[in-house]
Amino acid sequence: MKDKISDMTNEQILLELGVMRNGHFLLTSGRHSPFYFEKFRILEKPIMTSVLCGRIADMIKSSVNENIDLVCGPATGGMILAFEVARILGFGCVYLEKKGEEFCLLRGMKIREGARIVIVDDVLTTGKSLGAAQKTVIQSGGIVISKAVMIDRRTDKNSDTSIIALYSAKGEDYTQEECPQCALKVPLINPKTGEVLLRR
């Protein structure tokens, strides 16, 4: 199976897994979108996850010229991806967990002063979560030398061109006031729970 997957493009793998959903979704950022990437369709398939993480690891190796000390994964999906990327690259790994609106190091995890860190996350929409993760790493004494994501679905991909993305998707998301789906009175769905948040 792994040999067959290795011949597939990143997009083919995402389509095969049914990662992309169409509808009217509330994103974690609070914005609305007509499509949603369900990363857990990847994460529930360990072999697929390993293949894609191997490709992220290759991109990190080819684009990062500095020595790496640690890979860092923000909760929740980023933890799993960071673990596998760190395993493939042969580095240690630390995990950031949510405490209120902030990320923090819990369970006795530490970043030594000056440690060079690569942050690995799942889906990038606005950059808010990745920025919060970077802030925590820096406050903990680390130096962020690279950031890598499985899927980059930002509307403005020029806002931070240093981010490594395995798959760059078409960015399309709106505030509630701008949302064409809201104007058409399409029910709004929380994609994580399936709950209908607004019925029209």
Side-chain angles (χ1 to χ4, degrees):
M1 183 179 180
K2 203 163 186 176
D3 290 340
K4 176 191 171 187
I5 298 166
S6 64
D7 293 332
M8 298 170 70
T9 66
N10 298 326
E11 185 170 37
Q12 285 172 334
I13 291 174
L14 295 178
L15 289 171
E16 175 85 10
L17 292 173
V19 171
M20 185 170 169
R21 296 173 56 193
N22 295 305
H24 181 201
F25 302 107
L26 178 67
L27 304 178
T28 304
S29 64
R31 294 174 70 84
H32 295 195
S33 177
F35 60 91
Y36 178 75
F37 287 94
E38 181 45 85
K39 65 216 174 198
F40 282 94
R41 295 293 78 77
I42 302 169
L43 300 177
E44 67 188 4
K45 304 283 188 186
I47 292 176
M48 293 283 201
T49 300
S50 184
V51 168
L52 293 175
C53 284
R55 294 179 185 185
I56 293 174
D58 287 342
M59 292 175 76
I60 291 170
K61 282 191 290 187
S62 64
S63 63
V64 176
N65 297 319
E66 300 180 56
N67 291 330
I68 298 168
D69 295 309
L70 287 171
V71 178
C72 174
T76 300
M79 290 177 160
I80 300 170
L81 300 179
F83 168 86
E84 184 62 9
V85 169
R87 186 192 69 78
I88 292 166
L89 291 174
F91 301 124
C93 195
V94 293
Y95 307 105
L96 301 180
E97 299 181 63
K98 273 290 182 78
K99 191 174 183 181
E101 294 300 311
E102 301 290 325
F103 280 118
C104 59
L105 288 165
L106 298 176
R107 307 171 201 278
M109 288 200 170
K110 289 182 173 59
I111 294 173
R112 70 169 173 77
E113 191 70 30
R116 295 174 296 273
I117 311 287
V118 175
I119 299 174
V120 176
D121 207 357
D122 42 40
V123 181
L124 172 61
T125 301
T126 64
K128 184 178 176 182
S129 291
L130 205 57
Q134 178 168 320
K135 178 182 174 184
T136 300
V137 168
I138 293 170
Q139 289 176 339
S140 301
I143 301 167
V144 178
I145 60 170
S146 187
K147 292 166 283 187
V149 296
M150 182 78 74
I151 299 168
D152 181 357
R153 56 158 300 164
R154 288 176 296 168
T155 303
D156 179 12
K157 291 183 172 54
N158 294 318
S159 58
D160 186 346
T161 56
S162 67
I163 295 171
I164 298 166
L166 186 66
Y167 179 72
S168 186
K170 176 185 175 185
E172 190 176 342
D173 53 77
Y174 309 91
T175 64
Q176 183 172 329
E177 294 72 27
E178 301 168 331
C179 180
Q181 299 275 66
C182 284
L184 294 171
K185 302 188 183 306
V186 177
L188 178 67
I189 307 293
N190 179 336
K192 293 181 179 179
T193 64
E195 178 188 3
V196 178
L197 302 173
L198 288 176
R199 294 186 184 275
R200 308 291 184 174

